């Protein structure tokens, strides 16, 4: 998973970080990170990330604890470490293979 670094310029309009061709991207294989969740999650539940926008304006890349039909996929090796309400922050622990 790529993680935001504070040294990259971010668009003021879209909040998207632009990485120039050839620049380094920070990746996380093992460790914990705070993520914003689109639905309520509970500690120790599996982690799903939305691959495609869903119904009702949901965004690709959003974290959740359910598959929500076919628009979200489970990230094997990840688990929520904290519970959180929809729209709040939760801790995800990553333990991805090398």
């Amino acid at each position: 998973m790529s993680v935001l670094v504070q040294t990259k310029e971010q668009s003021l309009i879209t909040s998207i970080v632009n990485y120039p061709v050839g620049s380094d991207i920070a990746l996380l294989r093992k460790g914990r990170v705070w993520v914003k969740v689109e639905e309520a999650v509970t500690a120790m539940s599996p982690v799903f990330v939305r691959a495609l926008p869903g119904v009702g304006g949901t965004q690709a890349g959003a974290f959740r604890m359910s598959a929500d039909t076919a628009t979200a996929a489970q990230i094997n090796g990840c688990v929520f470490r904290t519970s959180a309400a929809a729209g709040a922050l939760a801790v995800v622990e990553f333990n991805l293979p090398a």
Side-chain angles (χ1 to χ4, degrees), residues 6 9 15 29 49-50 55 57 61 63 75 83-84 91 95:
Q6 300 301 317
E9 187 173 344
S15 298
R29 280 189 27 248
V49 67
R50 187 174 296 287
V55 180
F63 287 84
I75 305 175
S83 298
V91 174
N95 189 13

Side-chain angles (χ1 to χ4, degrees), residues 11-87:
S11 168
L12 297 175
I13 297 170
T14 64
S15 298
I16 295 174
V17 176
N18 297 309
Y19 288 91
V21 174
S23 65
D24 294 332
I25 298 175
L27 298 176
L28 177 69
R29 280 189 27 248
K30 294 182 187 290
R32 295 180 179 185
V33 65
W34 288 94
V35 299
K36 185 176 180 181
V37 295
E38 72 173 14
E39 70 173 353
V41 299
T42 57
M44 302 311 294
S45 61
V47 177
F48 288 79
V49 67
R50 187 174 296 287
L52 300 169
V55 180
T58 55
Q59 293 184 321
F63 287 84
R64 51 187 300 114
M65 69 175 211
S66 64
D68 189 34
T69 65
T71 61
Q74 185 174 1
I75 305 175
N76 294 323
C78 296
V79 66
F80 284 104
R81 283 305 199 174
T82 60
S83 298

